[in-house]
Structure formats: structure tokens, C-alpha cells
Amino acid sequence: MTDINTTRRELLIGAGASGATMLFAVRPAGATPEAMKTAIRKVIGEAKVSTGRIKLDIPPLVENGNTVAMSLTVESPMTAKDYVKGVHIFNERNPQPNVVTFHLGPRAGKADISARIRLSDSQNVIGIAEMSDGSFWSHEISVIVTLAACLEGTN
Amino acid sequence: MARVLINVPATAKRGSVIQIKTLISHVMEPGFRPGPDGKIIPRDIITLMTCKYNGEEVFRADMFPAVAANPFVTFHTIATESGKLEFAWTGDNGFTETASANITVE
Amino acid sequence: MTAARRIFHILHAASLPACAAAICILSLAAAPLRAGDIPLNQRQSGYDTMGRDTRAMQDDDTANPATLWLLDGEALWSKKEGAAGKACADCHTDAATSMKGVAARYPAFNTKQNKPLDIEGRINNCRTEHQQAQPLPFENKDLLALTAYVARQSRGMAIAPPPENMQPVVDQGRAIFEKRQGQLNLSCAQCHDDNWGRKLAGSAIPQGHPNGYPLYRLEWQSVGSLQRRLRNCLIGMRAEGYALGSPEYVALEAFLMWRARGMKMESPAVRP
């Protein structure tokens, strides 16, 4: 296991452009902004997505991408006629664009949810709320994931 | 067997909106990390979590590999009547876990 | 940790903070002066330098994943083990009273074995001697769970200054703490005494206190021991490291407890 650590160390010490490009080559195939768009279309079809009504909250500077606190609220009266049906969370750069989907209804009382997610890199995260009237609302935020210091060589 | 921690108020006023917190032990192995032998560690995640209130579903979450290890989820529901909240998690490799909590609504 | 995970970190490094980190590490290495011990009134827990969300995770037992380990520990406390067929609870009854403050004064000198034991070593000693069971390996889930459960009973209590019979061990720990080692020729003190509060590759360098262990580290996605944390720092220094459970780690732990004397226990805490 130590050899990979060595690579990292060498990067830290000689963090020149060559190091960065070399490492770029080993990047695992991840989701891309396009893959995210495709994943979103799969869920919402051709519907129009407006911005607003949903508020996604993730600290702008994440201490460790393994466990990222995320919370969200959606403005809605949450009555039997007018409520939030679901909220879909997507990301740009994890190996998969889908993060989590919450299904709720008028019995929730309010659309106020939190969970902990993984972010493999600094990137944009988008939340899309699906309303009972068929409309979609979104909020996109950008998150910076910092590097944890002093990692392990073995596990 | 997974450890589960649920936080539901024991009593609530009828019609009030209560917060529910859930924590469950699970590795949430995303399925794209190579293990020490260089082979990809197979995906092992919770894919679904549900909460039923006296038999009726009030909340459901579809989880993907980007949900952090030991999933922690909080949500709200209206305290409609006294009874039972039942939680269920299912996932890869036949994973299932359930838990429940009682609530008194006055 | 696996290769992919580390590649993520390499990629983080490859984005913004890599150059900064390199400069930071190198300039630390070049720093000629040792500023000395942190004045007692300037000490701060790792908790104080964490972000709002990580603190919130520690503040609420339902949100703190280490609580899952505590539940395991509580169950193990009453489970009969070994040839003696005894549970911890059979001898120590209620942990809330019998284990109160215990972890706040470990490592302690064990006269029977004529050596210092940390809290994991002490628990294993009860397993071998009193339960007649096999000792649990370091970082074993059950050992972490029992340690977390025992340490939980000291939460909020002040770390006790080590007694006189621990002084030689504390001194030995200090010598390791201040010794430059590894390929980067760094000492623990250069980071944790002289450069705490500064940033290293984006993460704040804490003062390096032991008051939250065992704890849930986001990086590990698991609970881990103080020794595991120290091993992480040694790896970061490109130093050899010691075998888990070795006397060097126990000495370092003893020195860290002396250095943190009077500070409040947070076990099981959360750290990035």
C-alpha cells in the first residue's frame, strides 16, 4: 500500500504541472456535468426546471469529502393539494451522478431534510424539488472539498 | 446485524410537525474502489429506507453510493395520532434491517 | 484505505492546495526554532478548530456515528467471555460509576506487569487475566467498542495529570514527540507546538490533543484509536511508525495526556 502513498507524497513535494497531469491520467472515470444532465433528464423527463423554492445547504468548504453534511428545505404549504413530492440530489464529479432521492408528501408537514453524503472532489451539487403540480425547482451550489492531511498507508 | 439509532419524540401535540433522526451502521461500500489486491471491492450499500406511520408510508429515500458510510437521515412528519413509526432499510447482498418507535399524541 | 480513495486525495491535491501544501511542508521542515510547550491557557481541543458541521455531528449523540460503537460496547460490557465465563459487568457492575474518570487517567502504570498500559491495554489485560479470553487485536471492532464505552464514562471530565510513577514514561514520550524523524525530517512538535492554527493542504493543524479518543474520523469513516491517529501522522511524516500496541505509542499517549492535563474529555468525539 505504501507505494501509492509515495506517489501522493511526491506530488506534495514536487507539485509541478507534470505531476498534476500525470495524476490526471489515473483519475477514475467519474461523472461529468454532462452525465449529471443526463441523469437529471432521466428523472424529470422534458419538464422545465426553474430556479428557486428549494434551498440546498452544504458548507462551502468541506473538511472531508467522505462525510459531508447536507440539508435542504423546500418552500411549500404542504397541504393535500399543494405539496412536495420528492427531492433529487445530483452531483457532477462522483463516479455516479445520483446521490439520493427523497420521497415525501403532505404528511411530512414540512420539507426539511438532512443527510450525509460523499463528494469525491470540489464540484457542483444540485437539488431538484418535484412538486405535486408537476413543476420542478432547483438550487445548484458549488462546494470546495479540502484534502485531509496525514492519511493512512494501510487499512 | 446493523446497529440503529432512532430519535423520535416520545410525545407530541396533535398536528405538530416533529423531527425524526435516524442513524444506521453500514459501510456503504460504493463499488468502484480497488481493494488491497487491486480488484474492485463489490458495491455494498443500502438502497432504500422507508418510514411508515401506523402503516402508512410518510417518507422514503433511494440511496446511491454517494450516501456516506453509516447513513444519517433526518426528516419531518406531522404527529397525527398515537401509534408506531416503523423504519426499514434494504440493500445489496440481501441487507435488511428494521426498527420502530412509539409515539403518544395528545 | 484503498487506492481509489487515495487517488481522490491525490486529485484534491492536484487541484488547488497541492502547491501550498508542498511549500508548507518544506517551510515547516526548514523552521529552525522550537517555540516550546503551548502555554496552558492557550490550549484548545481539536473540536475548537473544526467546522460548524463537524462540531454539530459531535454535539448530538444521534448524529455522531460513534454512538453506534457505544451501543456495541454497551452490549459487550454485559457479554460473558472466555474460559472464566465472566462479563465485564460481573466484576465492574455499572460502567457509569465504576468506569467514571478511568479513561481520563490512562495510560497508567501497571505494577503487576511493571509497565504502562493504555486503556486498550488495560481492557485486554482484563480479558486475558480476568476473563481468560484471547486479547483483542488493535483496531478490532469489539476492542474499539469497549474502549469507546469505557472512555464515554469520562466525557466532560478533566484529564488527570499523570502520577509520579508515570514520569519516566511521559519523558520518553516527550523525547519521541520532539525528535525529528522520517524522510521529511519533521518532529511532532514542529506541527503541533509551533504551527498549530496554520493550514496544511487545506486542513487546519490542530494542537494534537488526545482528549476525544477513540473517535469517529470522517477520513476513516469509522471509529479508530489514538494509536491509529498517531500512526497516520507518522505516515504523513514519512517515518517508520511503530507496531500498534508498542511501548513507543503508549509513551506518546502518556505524553499527550500530560500535555492535555486539565482539558476536558470528549470521547467518543468526531474529527475530520
Side-chain angles (χ1 to χ4, degrees), chain C residues 9 14 69 93 135 155 160 215 247:
Chain C
H9 287 290
W69 275 254
T93 61
R155 192 189 273 177
L215 55 72

Side-chain angles (χ1 to χ4, degrees), chain A residues 62-68 94 117-121 145-146 148, chain B residues 66 68, chain C residues 5 9 12 218-219 272:
Chain A
V62 164
E63 285 179 307
N64 191 298
N66 284 342
T67 312
V68 181
N94 285 356
I117 65 170
R118 291 179 169 132
L119 294 174
S120 66
D121 204 345
V145 179
T146 56
Chain C
R5 194 52 234 168
H9 287 290
H12 295 163
L218 306 187
E219 173 58 28

Side-chain angles (χ1 to χ4, degrees), chain B residues 24-46:
Chain B
I24 182 166
S25 63
H26 199 287
V27 290
M28 296 298 283
E29 182 60 51
F32 47 78
R33 309 190 304 167
D37 59 358
K39 285 204 207 112
I40 299 289
I41 307 171
R43 194 184 91 162
D44 181 12
I45 65 167
I46 294 175

Side-chain angles (χ1 to χ4, degrees), chain B residues 8-87:
Chain B
V8 174
T11 60
K13 276 211 355 235
R14 189 176 308 276
S16 63
V17 178
I18 54 169
Q19 188 186 36
I20 294 167
K21 301 187 203 177
T22 65
L23 180 68
I24 182 166
S25 63
H26 199 287
V27 290
M28 296 298 283
E29 182 60 51
F32 47 78
R33 309 190 304 167
D37 59 358
K39 285 204 207 112
I40 299 289
I41 307 171
R43 194 184 91 162
D44 181 12
I45 65 167
I46 294 175
T47 48
L48 178 68
M49 169 198 168
T50 57
C51 173
K52 284 183 179 163
Y53 190 156
N54 284 346
E56 191 190 329
E57 183 177 294
V58 291
F59 181 82
R60 176 157 54 99
D62 301 321
M63 299 189 183
F64 295 89
V67 170
N70 304 305
F72 174 70
V73 176
T74 74
F75 56 95
H76 289 78
T77 197
I78 300 174
T80 49
E81 57 194 335
S82 294
K84 204 176 188 183
L85 285 127
E86 287 169 293
F87 301 82

Side-chain angles (χ1 to χ4, degrees), chain A residues 64-86:
Chain A
N64 191 298
N66 284 342
T67 312
V68 181
M70 174 194 78
S71 61
L72 64 93
T73 52
V74 188
E75 278 169 43
S76 163
M78 295 306 271
T79 58
K81 280 203 196 117
D82 186 359
Y83 59 91
V84 181
K85 272 175 77 175

